[in-house]
Amino acid sequence: MAYTTSDEQLQIEEVKQWWKENGKVIILAVILAIAGVFGWRYWQSYQLNKIHQSSANFSQILATAQTNPTADNPQLTQFIQENPNNTYATFLLLDKAKSLVDAKQWEQAATALNQALANTKDVALASLISLRLASVQTQLKQFDKALSTLNKVSEQAWQGRKSMLMGEIYVAMGKKDDAKKAFETALATANPLEAQWLQVQLNNL
C-alpha cells in the first residue's frame, strides 16, 4: 500500500494533538528533573561546607578548652546547643568531662557525660561514654545509678572493663559474692596486667 500525503498529514495532526495533551507534562517533568539534579548538588555542597565549618569550629573550641579546661566556655556551649547530634559535639563533651575528672569535679563531669550519652547514636561510642559515666558515678557513691549505666555498655570490646567496674561497685556496696562473680567474669578476658589486679581483688574478698 502506497504512503500518501494524506497519511503524512494525519500523522502530523496526531502528533500535534498528542503534544497538546501531553506537552506541558513533559516540559514540567524535564524542569523538575533538572531542578532535582541542581538541588541535589546544592545540598551536597551545603552539607560538605557544613562539615568543614564544624571541623574548623571543633579545632578552635578544643584549643580554647585545653588552655583553661575547667572554665566555662561559651563557644563550646553554643556549639553543642547548635549541633546536638554532631559527633564533634560529643567529642568536645568527652574532652570536657576528662578535664573535669582530672580536676576531681565529679558532678560537672557526670553532667557532661550524660549530655554526651544523650547526643550520640553510635553504639560503640555510647558504650565508652557509659563506662566513663559509671566510673564517675562510682566516685560520687551513686552505686545503683552506676550499675544501671553499665547496663548500657553493649559493645563486646568493653565487657571486661564493665565487669571490673561492676566488681569494684559491689565491693563498695559490701556485696562480696556479687563482686567475686564480676571479677571472675572479667578475669576470663583480662590481659596479664588486669589479671594481676583482679587476682589481688579476689584474694581480698
Side-chain angles (χ1 to χ4, degrees), residues 7-187:
D7 292 330
E8 184 179 351
Q9 288 177 343
L10 182 60
Q11 288 183 359
I12 291 172
E13 288 301 322
E14 288 176 350
V15 169
K16 286 180 178 179
Q17 184 61 33
W18 183 87
W19 181 255
K20 184 178 179 181
E21 294 173 357
N22 302 286
K24 290 181 180 179
V25 175
I26 293 172
I27 291 170
L28 180 60
V30 171
I31 291 171
L32 288 174
I34 293 171
V37 169
F38 281 103
W40 174 245
R41 288 179 180 174
Y42 170 79
W43 176 249
Q44 285 182 313
S45 176
Y46 169 76
Q47 289 296 320
L48 189 60
N49 288 336
K50 191 175 179 181
I51 290 170
H52 287 321
Q53 187 61 48
S54 292
S55 177
N57 290 344
F58 170 77
S59 299
Q60 181 182 356
I61 295 167
L62 186 61
T64 303
Q66 288 175 343
T67 302
N68 194 355
T70 59
D72 288 335
N73 187 334
Q75 280 184 307
L76 186 148
T77 302
Q78 182 181 352
F79 183 86
I80 292 167
Q81 287 175 345
E82 292 176 353
N83 304 275
N85 299 317
N86 189 305
T87 303
Y88 286 124
T90 303
F91 286 149
L92 284 171
L93 284 165
L94 283 172
D95 186 74
K96 180 181 179 180
K98 180 181 181 301
S99 299
L100 291 166
V101 165
D102 291 342
K104 300 189 186 308
Q105 296 183 17
W106 307 112
E107 290 282 1
Q108 295 93 322
T111 299
L113 289 167
N114 270 310
Q115 192 173 356
L117 188 59
N119 281 0
T120 189
K121 292 180 173 59
D122 183 271
V123 176
L125 191 54
S127 290
L128 173 61
I129 296 168
S130 296
L131 197 62
R132 292 186 182 182
L133 176 58
S135 180
V136 169
Q137 289 168 334
T138 302
Q139 291 292 333
L140 290 166
K141 302 188 185 306
Q142 298 172 350
F143 302 127
D144 289 329
K145 271 189 179 181
L147 290 171
S148 179
T149 299
L150 284 174
N151 288 331
K152 299 173 184 176
V153 180
S154 58
E155 279 292 293
Q156 189 61 38
W158 298 110
Q159 294 307 304
R161 297 292 298 276
K162 173 183 175 179
S163 296
M164 289 172 68
L165 184 52
M166 286 179 71
E168 290 184 66
I169 294 168
Y170 284 132
V171 168
M173 295 173 76
K175 296 182 176 182
K176 291 187 177 182
D177 289 341
D178 290 329
K180 182 179 179 182
K181 289 178 184 177
F183 285 143
E184 286 174 344
T185 299
L187 195 58

